[in-house]
Amino acid sequence: MMRISQLFILSSKGDHLIYKDYRGEAGSDVVNVFYEKVTALTGDQPPVVMSHRDLHFVHVRQGGLYWVATTTEDSSPFAIIEFLNRLSALVRDYCGSLSEKAVQMNFALIYELLDEVLDYGYIQTTSSDVLKNFIQTEAVSSRPFSLFDLSNVGLFGAETQQSKVAPSSAATRPIQSSRDQGGKSEIFVDVIERMSVVIGSNGVLLKADIEGEIRVKCYMPSCSEVRMGLNEELSVGRSQLRGYGAAVRLHECSFHQAVQLHEFHSHRILRLCPSQGEQTVMQYQLSDDLPSAPPFRLFPTIERDSAGRLLMYMKLRCDLPPKSAAVSVSASIPVPRGSVSLSQELSSPDQNAELILQNRAVVWRIPRFSGGTQLSALFKVEVPGLSSASLLEVGPVGLSFELPKLTATGLQVRFLRLSPVQPGPAQRWVRYLTHSDSYIIRV
Amino acid sequence: MPYLGGKEAVRELRRALSNPNIQSDPLRYRNVVLKVIRAMSQGVDVSELFSEMVKACATVDVVQKKLVYVFLCCYAHLNPELSLLVVNTLRKDCLDPNPMVRSLALRSMTNLRLPSLVEYVEQPLTAGLRDRAACVRRVAVLGWAKLHSLQPGSEIDASVVNELYSLLRDPDPVVMVNCLRALEEILKEEGGVVINKPITHHLLNRLKECDIWGQSEVLRVLQRYRPQSEDELFDILSLLDSSLVSPHPPIMAATLSLFLSLCSSLPAVSQAALERVRGPLLAACGSGSREMRFAALCHIQLLLRSIPGLLGEHYKRFFCSYAEPAFIKRRKMQVLVELVNDENVVMILDELKGYCTDVNDDTAQAAISAIGRIGRSYSDKSLEILTGLLGLKQDQITSAVVQTIRDLVWVCPQCSDTVSSALEGCEEVLQDCQGKQALLWLLGMYGERVSSAPYTLEVYIDGVRSETSLEMKMELLTSTMRLFLCRPAETQDMLGRLLHYCIEEEGDMCVRGQALLYYRLLHCGIEETRNVLQGQRSDPSMGVLIGRPAEPISQWVSSFNTLEPLKYCSVETEPASRGSPEHLASVLKPNTDLPDNLDCGQLQMVHSGSDSAGDRLNCSAGLMSPGAEPCVTLSLSPAVSPEEFERLWMQRHALHSGQEPADEDDNCLWTEETIRCTAVPHCSPQNLHAAMQLVNIQTIAFSPSHSLPWKVFLYTHTLRADTSSSTLILGELLYTGEAHQQCSADREVEVEVKEQMDATADGEKEIKVTLLQQPRDVSTLRAFLSVLTTVIHTLSSEMA
């Protein structure tokens, strides 16, 4: 039987934010023991499970905080880690955001949550539908007043084009405020994909995995059924032959247990009654395959100039469709040990590059990169005593980026219907995002 | 700030709490209570406010009630008398029409953890079990478990236990699961809740109603159930099949655990379950939560111990991602090393090569040693990368590479040529002690092929005065001695200087003693010295990795889905990352390195027995009295891990080969035997392993075929049918290639059986068998020996 003896939340600096003892088996001094242990670890020691006498600490990091449970050795690590993650998601749902400040301001609410979620160290429920009947405390929103919120109100209150786009902060509010404060009834469907790609030095795609999920964040007071249609031409599994058209292929997919799949096999329609707050409705994977060309290619030239400096000429091409663009692109180029300074020539003023000595890398940032275009940059790195062997230290380039309004698999939500039709105006938002889990181009 | 003026703040709060104006305004009253709780969670001692807070609990405001209860549960043990006051309020709340208030009161009452309150709590708890609201029943059920832990000695009323059993049929799934939990705790002494057929089937039928937490609890409890028939077993398995591929890792892991425990006697089904779980496990490895990734990786390492080929084609999933923390990268590399096969070796090495220049030194080192491990099976490709890395001329990389090369050469002596040409110039780059030590060892061993070796050593010898590390000096001494043996002309002078320094000026006794030993050894003559110093160039026992046999699932199943796999830093013990490999090896087998002439003429007790033609087993009459053999069966479980094996072996070995006479009451048997056969050492490790497994003998480590000396370590358990007593037997097979083999130091061996063979006329080989039995049982040992002999003869006849 899995039981949690104590549960506590610490800030990254070790401040005690929340402490709850469920079984009275150990004193509260273990909080300090934990913090001393976790900060004393060396780089390669795995921190997730640590023990102190008979106590075993399991912790996760979420929102910059330590979420720690003490338990017995025979507990399932999967269950405890999943539970701690779920707990942090609940706190995020109830407080609107996850940060040290949010936890501090809402400690009464969190104690209330902890009281209902666990009893005597045994998990009772983590469903926000059940919990909403028990949680009485109002969330205190830690979001400061922002001019950005005003910018969404059109001139003289008129509907503008802008209001068709949900502000990015729209989904970071407490779920319970919708009940009393007359908050809008809204539903957000996010299709989020993570790419991990390795491209060889000869440009060959060595590895390409996409892990995706559909997340629903629901702010609707009354539970109503949602029907969500995905691409009709969607094939699941490896065995199926590739059709002609632009069918979307997934190798594996799994669904939240509340999702009804009667219409999935025939019409690719998911039906579910979402609970308040955020939940992952579907998870899917596509491995060793990309439906289209990889979004970025790099053509590097690396040499040593006559003055003994390291010259890196980088040509980066974005192979997205012309109408799309990547944002927050950043390329990290490892440079030899002993690099001292950097001078660069970039093709536009909004880009920048710097040498980060701590990471031994040149980081080249491109705020926006349109599809079908190409950027180039010349980096000159001063490395005292550069030898030709040191050129080999210019290691694989890591790219991080976000591709808004785009899914790498091509998965789309065709429609999103609520039934019964909501009494008030219910807003439905569908957002797509692909980001890089790990995008590595060898040079 | 409560932090600063703790006392002042508490006084302030007390004033506010007892202010009638505030008490009459619910909102202000609640806010003051809130402040108290905030101070409490920030670590201020607010226990003085107990009596005020007790008053604050009599309110209709549920939020305030909850806050006060948080406070009371925290401080009740400091004020048991005052807590009695709360009980009345709580008991009143237990009758509240609002089920939420009832459950809150019941929970708080049991959370006060005061033994003095037990008598007041029992009645509401009994009523709570029959409450119409499920949320109250949930609390009441666990309340009984809390009550039981408050008075551990006392018996819980049998009627309560019965009621809890009947609540397993409660319509609410959480109540059902809580009943399981409560019964587990209450009936702990009796082995927990009874899992019989009706309960099992009831639980299985309602499994799908539970949420993921409930499901994983139920699955875990069911591990205790033993189906009565095969049909029932397969019914259960097919019912659980969908849980096996659940997208929720807790359910997947709990189901797999259950599958493995139910099918412990059906290896094919277990294997199929492991294959089925591959998809969800891989998905967990790519989970967004890095802690979940880590847990999944650690469990994959367990699975790979039994089915090495399980994930071979999915190796790319274990490529490290750019931003992952070092501890995950390290695990992924460990998995990658396990997954290497002919098809993917190039890709994996290419990927690992990229990590070698990682900015994080731990990651870089782990990558380099991972390449070294792959080098044991694919030495050319690995060495090419490793020698390439030397070209970078970076101290840390070079140090890691030299150490890795040393460990690799120790296992794969065939790559020494490549290595010796790559070593030139390393000494200029190396900074740290461990790297230098590794270089010195390599120069000592392969100095005749490295042209600059004497000059390199000379630099170190000239600097020996300023050298602080003891290990460095010892290594320098040995290496110089070894180099002197193969290149005397160039080395003589510097060796003289080094010995002179170490004997005359060195302060450390270890170094001085070592130098004196070498000095006297040189007096004995060059041949003696050669015999002592030029022993093994390669690991006589072989690493654990090469040909590591697939472990039976039972070996790790008990730690599956527990915290244990996440705790150990590495599953396989990293060999010889510190110090010379031969030192480690000689720790394991102290005898093998010593040549015969150092043996001080110590001869062992020799029992001459007749060479029984039947089984060709040489045995002493005393030990192996011919007679009716007892009926003995061998079994592999419980499994013995390599570390465990080594510990047991070393412990006994030290006892028997050391000075101490073995004590009489020590219930162990240590014996050496000789088996003669024609061709065993030339059969492949896989064949040998498979053959041994057939008769339930587990081989734990062995040398590759055709290497000398050739060694196998093995173990098994014996079980006697007549007395049902069992023993553990550990064993070592040794073939040195010489017809006459004498065992060295063994003065006070408790039972020593040694057969000196006069001739191995018909080309027969002698294999020395050293056995350790615990507890001693001569007749089962004899039975085991005859099984072993049969296996070896069968193998050798196949070879011949």
Side-chain angles (χ1 to χ4, degrees):
Chain A
M1 286 289 159
M2 187 191 89
R3 50 187 192 225
I4 289 170
S5 183
Q6 291 149 309
L7 200 140
F8 44 94
I9 305 175
L10 296 184
S11 77
S12 54
K13 296 189 295 293
D15 299 329
H16 303 195
L17 301 179
I18 299 284
Y19 168 78
K20 183 132 177 102
D21 182 1
Y22 286 101
R23 299 179 61 92
E25 290 166 340
S28 60
D29 51 324
V30 297
V31 182
N32 292 328
V33 172
F34 167 79
Y35 190 71
E36 277 162 27
K37 273 187 172 288
V38 82
T39 44
L41 288 177
T42 60
D44 58 331
Q45 279 176 300
V48 182
V49 174
M50 293 182 299
S51 19
H52 172 68
R53 300 204 196 102
D54 293 347
L55 277 182
H56 297 270
F57 299 102
V58 182
H59 86 277
V60 303
R61 293 291 301 266
Q62 291 282 354
L65 307 170
Y66 293 101
W67 303 71
V68 195
T70 63
T71 180
T72 50
E73 185 171 10
D74 61 343
S75 304
S76 158
F78 294 103
I80 295 200
I81 291 170
E82 179 103 340
F83 168 73
L84 291 172
N85 283 329
R86 174 69 195 142
L87 181 69
S88 66
L90 272 175
V91 171
R92 180 188 281 122
D93 282 348
Y94 273 92
C95 303
S97 63
L98 202 59
S99 66
E100 188 178 337
K101 199 169 170 218
V103 170
Q104 263 173 351
M105 292 175 80
N106 291 293
F107 71 96
L109 187 144
I110 295 172
Y111 272 121
E112 214 181 338
L113 260 178
L114 287 178
D115 224 21
E116 300 294 343
V117 167
L118 287 165
D119 189 9
Y120 203 40
Y122 294 115
I123 305 171
Q124 300 295 298
T125 179
T126 56
S127 145
S128 54
D129 283 332
V130 179
L131 287 170
K132 73 179 174 197
N133 303 316
F134 294 94
I135 304 301
Q136 305 275 324
T137 316
E138 280 290 333
V140 187
S141 179
S142 60
R143 192 150 43 92
F145 171 78
S146 142
L147 279 176
F148 183 75
D149 296 342
L150 285 181
S151 68
N152 278 313
V153 181
L155 201 55
F156 309 115
E159 280 282 307
T160 60
Q161 192 60 36
Q162 235 179 355
S163 63
K164 292 257 171 71
V165 181
S168 62
S169 60
T172 60
R173 59 185 168 98
I175 47 175
Q176 294 233 320
S177 60
S178 54
R179 184 171 52 191
D180 307 307
Q181 297 169 354
K184 281 182 280 186
S185 85
E186 285 178 306
I187 182 165
F188 295 86
V189 175
D190 292 343
V191 185
I192 298 168
E193 297 189 345
R194 294 181 286 142
M195 286 180 103
S196 54
V197 170
V198 178
I199 298 176
S201 49
N202 50 0
V204 175
L205 195 61
L206 297 176
K207 171 194 168 176
D209 284 338
I210 300 169
E211 313 219 356
E213 56 188 27
I214 301 182
R215 274 192 222 155
V216 170
K217 187 148 191 177
C218 173
Y219 291 106
M220 281 184 296
S222 60
C223 174
S224 58
E225 196 187 57
V226 173
R227 289 176 79 227
M228 189 191 308
L230 305 180
N231 310 46
E232 267 179 302
E233 284 185 79
L234 174 70
S235 69
V236 178
R238 283 172 183 276
S239 53
Q240 292 184 26
L241 289 171
R242 196 162 195 162
Y244 290 109
V248 173
R249 292 204 309 151
L250 307 176
H251 285 148
E252 267 158 50
C253 70
S254 57
F255 301 91
H256 190 275
Q257 57 185 7
V259 178
Q260 293 173 25
L261 297 169
H262 313 301
E263 293 178 83
F264 182 72
H265 298 294
S266 49
H267 298 104
R268 301 301 185 204
I269 293 172
L270 306 178
R271 288 169 54 179
L272 71 152
C273 296
S275 11
Q276 293 262 304
E278 188 174 293
Q279 58 219 288
T280 301
V281 169
M282 172 177 167
Q283 287 175 299
Y284 55 90
Q285 288 163 6
L286 180 67
S287 32
D288 283 333
D289 191 15
L290 278 184
S292 52
F296 293 99
R297 289 221 175 251
L298 183 74
F299 304 95
T301 317
I302 293 161
E303 57 195 34
R304 197 172 132 205
D305 75 353
S306 49
R309 281 178 303 185
L310 173 68
L311 280 189
M312 299 191 293
Y313 182 68
M314 299 278 166
K315 215 156 57 168
L316 189 60
R317 197 175 76 203
C318 178
D319 285 333
L320 292 173
K323 278 181 193 161
S324 325
V327 297
S328 324
V329 181
S330 125
S332 158
I333 310 155
V335 292
R337 208 179 274 263
S339 302
V340 180
S341 63
L342 167 78
S343 65
Q344 73 259 34
E345 289 168 29
L346 302 172
S347 53
S348 74
D350 56 340
Q351 303 169 33
N352 68 54
E354 63 177 314
L355 174 68
I356 299 179
L357 288 177
Q358 186 196 352
N359 295 342
R360 231 169 62 215
V362 170
V363 177
W364 175 21
R365 295 194 191 86
I366 307 154
R368 190 186 158 81
F369 199 166
S370 303
T373 59
Q374 182 166 305
L375 294 175
S376 54
L378 178 63
F379 301 107
K380 291 180 191 165
V381 188
E382 203 77 55
V383 192
L386 182 78
S387 67
S388 54
S390 310
L391 295 184
L392 296 173
E393 273 191 84
V394 179
V397 175
L399 238 60
S400 69
F401 52 83
E402 282 185 19
L403 311 176
K405 295 185 246 172
L406 199 85
T407 53
T409 52
L411 189 80
Q412 302 251 301
V413 176
R414 263 188 301 144
F415 60 82
L416 187 67
R417 284 187 201 128
L418 307 177
S419 59
V421 178
Q422 292 281 303
Q427 285 183 314
R428 295 160 293 169
W429 305 103
V430 179
R431 305 184 290 191
Y432 301 100
L433 180 68
T434 299
H435 60 95
S436 57
D437 190 31
S438 167
Y439 195 98
I440 292 169
I441 307 174
R442 294 196 192 140
V443 297
Chain B
M1 283 301 287
Y3 267 130
L4 303 173
K7 282 268 180 255
E8 188 53 41
V10 171
R11 227 169 292 144
E12 187 87 0
L13 286 169
R14 186 203 297 275
R15 260 199 300 279
L17 280 174
S18 40
N19 182 342
N21 290 331
I22 291 182
Q23 284 178 354
S24 59
D25 180 346
L27 214 59
R28 282 176 72 192
Y29 202 16
R30 189 207 281 189
N31 271 331
V32 176
V33 172
L34 206 58
K35 275 184 195 153
V36 175
I37 307 292
R38 184 189 298 266
M40 186 183 97
S41 61
Q42 282 170 343
V44 178
D45 180 16
V46 285
S47 56
E48 297 168 36
L49 302 173
F50 199 82
S51 56
E52 283 80 9
M53 290 298 272
V54 169
K55 279 180 215 137
C57 132
T59 169
V60 286
D61 180 3
V62 181
V63 177
Q64 181 171 333
K65 248 186 214 303
K66 285 187 176 182
L67 290 172
V68 174
Y69 289 152
V70 168
F71 176 92
L72 294 182
C73 292
C74 205
Y75 290 112
H77 61 281
L78 298 175
N79 297 287
E81 293 83 27
L82 279 174
S83 306
L84 281 174
L85 297 177
V86 194
V87 170
N88 269 331
T89 323
L90 286 169
R91 283 178 66 123
K92 209 163 76 221
D93 281 352
C94 283
L95 304 170
D96 196 279
N98 183 349
M100 201 179 14
V101 175
R102 290 203 301 273
S103 69
L104 178 66
L106 209 52
R107 186 165 55 222
S108 307
M109 214 186 289
T110 47
N111 277 351
L112 290 174
R113 291 194 207 116
L114 288 175
S116 55
L117 294 187
V118 168
E119 49 180 321
Y120 303 98
V121 180
E122 279 186 345
Q123 189 270 326
L125 273 183
T126 315
L129 286 182
R130 301 187 191 117
D131 201 285
R132 57 188 190 286
C135 65
V136 183
R137 293 198 301 275
R138 293 174 185 177
V139 172
V141 168
L142 284 183
W144 283 107
K146 295 181 202 172
L147 218 58
H148 179 70
S149 78
L150 273 183
Q151 344 160 257
S154 72
E155 282 285 301
I156 284 263
D157 199 355
S159 66
V160 173
V161 173
N162 282 339
E163 187 139 12
L164 288 176
Y165 269 116
S166 67
L167 276 175
L168 283 174
R169 309 212 170 259
D170 194 277
D172 183 72
V174 181
V175 174
M176 177 183 87
V177 177
N178 278 356
C179 278
L180 282 178
R181 293 158 163 164
L183 285 168
E184 271 300 272
E185 292 211 11
I186 293 171
L187 303 176
K188 198 174 176 188
E189 266 109 71
E190 299 156 39
V193 57
V194 174
I195 298 293
N196 56 22
K197 190 169 175 181
I199 290 184
T200 303
H201 287 234
H202 170 70
L203 291 175
L204 282 170
N205 286 331
R206 298 198 49 195
L207 194 62
K208 288 283 174 279
E209 295 168 35
C210 303
D211 62 0
I212 62 171
W213 319 114
Q215 287 190 29
S216 26
E217 296 273 44
V218 171
L219 290 167
R220 175 157 264 187
V221 167
L222 289 181
Q223 281 187 31
R224 286 216 298 271
Y225 184 63
R226 289 284 157 260
Q228 285 151 4
S229 67
E230 201 146 274
D231 285 346
E232 190 191 356
L233 171 68
F234 283 106
D235 282 348
I236 294 176
L237 294 186
S238 57
L239 201 65
L240 291 175
D241 188 63
S242 63
S243 306
L244 200 55
V245 288
S246 158
H248 302 289
I251 297 186
M252 175 272 293
T255 316
L256 181 61
S257 245
L258 178 58
F259 258 73
L260 295 180
S261 81
L262 287 178
C263 310
S264 49
S265 56
L266 301 166
V269 184
S270 309
Q271 174 109 7
L274 291 179
E275 273 162 26
R276 203 130 154 68
V277 96
R278 180 167 47 190
L281 256 184
L282 281 172
C285 278
S287 151
S289 151
R290 61 185 201 182
E291 289 83 9
M292 188 58 86
R293 282 188 196 200
F294 179 70
L297 280 170
C298 296
H299 281 85
I300 281 182
Q301 286 184 303
L302 280 188
L303 260 56
L304 289 178
R305 281 161 63 179
S306 285
I307 313 186
L310 187 65
L311 296 162
E313 55 188 300
H314 300 280
Y315 64 97
K316 285 181 185 170
R317 303 296 275 282
F318 301 96
F319 283 6
C320 298
S321 133
Y322 169 63
E324 271 171 337
F327 66 90
I328 289 190
K329 286 187 178 168
R330 192 183 195 102
R331 289 278 174 167
K332 283 194 166 174
M333 286 185 239
Q334 286 172 357
V335 173
L336 279 176
V337 169
E338 300 282 320
L339 298 184
V340 166
N341 60 32
D342 290 349
E343 281 100 61
N344 60 26
V345 60
V346 177
M347 295 286 284
I348 289 182
L349 282 176
D350 248 17
E351 179 72 17
L352 286 173
K353 189 174 146 194
Y355 310 151
C356 292
T357 50
D358 197 282
V359 62
N360 182 324
D361 289 330
D362 290 326
T363 307
Q365 262 169 32
I368 291 168
S369 74
I371 293 176
R373 292 194 77 88
I374 294 176
R376 296 180 179 192
S377 350
Y378 299 92
S379 46
D380 294 347
K381 298 188 184 82
S382 299
L383 272 176
E384 193 184 319
I385 296 178
L386 290 175
T387 48
L389 286 170
L390 290 176
L392 293 179
K393 307 238 174 265
Q394 297 258 321
D395 58 337
Q396 268 144 340
I397 293 179
T398 308
S399 163
V401 170
V402 172
Q403 291 176 57
T404 305
I405 286 181
R406 172 197 59 193
D407 297 344
L408 180 60
V409 168
W410 179 245
V411 184
C412 306
Q414 72 273 19
C415 29
S416 55
D417 283 335
T418 327
V419 169
S420 7
S421 57
L423 286 177
E424 312 255 355
C426 284
E427 71 279 359
E428 294 156 23
V429 188
L430 282 173
Q431 298 291 329
D432 69 320
C433 214
Q434 263 120 26
K436 286 183 195 166
Q437 262 174 271
L439 177 67
L440 285 176
W441 187 86
L442 283 166
L443 288 178
M445 279 299 186
Y446 297 101
E448 77 272 18
R449 297 185 222 163
V450 185
S451 59
S452 67
Y455 310 103
T456 311
L457 284 185
E458 187 154 30
V459 174
Y460 285 115
I461 289 170
D462 289 345
V464 73
R465 265 165 235 278
S466 51
E467 180 60 60
T468 51
S469 152
L470 168 69
E471 290 81 11
M472 267 293 288
K473 291 180 195 165
M474 302 281 268
E475 196 71 67
L476 187 59
L477 265 174
T478 312
S479 297
T480 316
M481 283 293 284
R482 283 188 176 141
L483 197 63
F484 172 70
L485 292 175
C486 57
R487 299 167 76 165
E490 294 155 288
T491 326
Q492 189 172 12
D493 180 50
M494 60 179 91
L495 176 64
R497 270 186 285 145
L498 181 65
L499 284 176
H500 183 265
Y501 167 79
C502 289
I503 294 170
E504 296 294 326
E505 293 176 47
E506 173 61 42
D508 189 283
M509 285 315 287
C510 277
V511 180
R512 199 161 163 264
Q514 184 90 349
L516 275 172
L517 172 74
Y518 286 149
Y519 181 71
R520 289 176 190 147
L521 199 55
L522 287 169
H523 274 292
C524 294
I526 201 75
E527 272 317 304
E528 311 294 304
T529 317
R530 200 180 295 279
N531 279 332
V532 172
L533 277 169
Q534 290 189 330
Q536 304 295 335
R537 275 189 172 183
S538 61
D539 186 350
S541 74
M542 283 307 300
V544 184
L545 188 92
I546 297 188
R548 187 168 73 184
E551 290 177 32
I553 290 167
S554 59
Q555 201 131 344
W556 49 262
V557 72
S558 59
S559 65
F560 188 84
N561 201 20
T562 69
L563 301 183
E564 205 187 320
L566 279 76
K567 283 201 305 194
Y568 288 134
C569 278
S570 59
V571 168
E572 79 257 32
T573 43
E574 284 287 323
S577 48
R578 308 283 170 256
S580 302
E582 60 190 334
H583 291 165
L584 272 139
S586 60
V587 167
L588 188 66
K589 285 116 332 229
N591 278 347
T592 52
D593 286 353
L594 289 174
D596 295 348
N597 51 2
L598 269 191
D599 228 352
C600 319
Q602 188 76 35
L603 276 177
Q604 50 277 37
M605 277 165 59
V606 173
H607 296 262
S608 48
S610 59
D611 185 2
S612 66
D615 56 5
R616 290 189 170 163
L617 171 68
N618 305 298
C619 54
S620 86
L623 172 63
M624 308 270 170
S625 58
E629 267 183 32
C631 182
V632 174
T633 48
L634 302 182
S635 94
L636 292 180
S637 61
V640 178
S641 69
E643 296 83 75
E644 172 79 3
F645 184 97
E646 190 176 323
R647 192 184 61 74
L648 281 171
W649 189 256
M650 286 321 304
Q651 191 187 333
R652 302 310 309 174
H653 202 293
L655 258 181
H656 290 288
S657 57
Q659 302 75 22
E660 300 285 321
D663 26 310
E664 276 304 310
D665 52 4
D666 193 313
N667 205 8
C668 278
L669 185 60
W670 176 270
T671 173
E672 297 188 21
E673 299 285 330
T674 307
I675 297 177
R676 287 205 291 157
C677 61
T678 45
V680 167
H682 301 296
C683 77
S684 77
Q686 284 75 22
N687 279 350
L688 181 79
H689 176 65
M692 293 289 189
Q693 284 247 305
L694 267 183
V695 293
N696 279 336
I697 299 175
Q698 178 73 40
T699 47
I700 207 156
F702 34 74
S703 340
S705 43
H706 301 286
S707 65
L708 283 178
W710 176 87
K711 271 199 179 190
V712 178
F713 286 92
L714 44 81
Y715 74 86
T716 189
H717 297 269
T718 63
L719 189 69
R720 274 179 81 147
D722 48 351
T723 59
S724 75
S725 61
S726 74
T727 69
L728 169 68
I729 296 182
L730 309 182
E732 177 203 64
L733 306 185
L734 172 67
Y735 171 65
T736 52
E738 296 152 36
H740 292 272
Q741 164 70 20
Q742 288 193 339
C743 177
S744 53
D746 50 352
R747 270 149 284 177
E748 304 290 339
V749 178
E750 191 182 2
V751 180
E752 171 67 37
V753 185
K754 181 71 191 166
E755 182 74 4
Q756 192 94 21
M757 298 305 298
D758 325 310
T760 52
D762 42 345
E764 285 192 334
K765 313 286 199 296
E766 273 186 9
I767 297 176
K768 198 176 103 188
V769 185
T770 314
L771 295 174
L772 167 67
Q773 190 187 31
Q774 208 175 14
R776 64 183 300 165
D777 182 348
V778 174
S779 50
T780 53
L781 189 67
R782 184 180 177 209
F784 166 76
L785 257 176
S786 74
V787 171
L788 185 67
T789 315
T790 318
V791 174
I792 291 178
H793 282 164
T794 317
L795 275 172
S796 68
S797 60
E798 267 174 25
M799 295 302 298

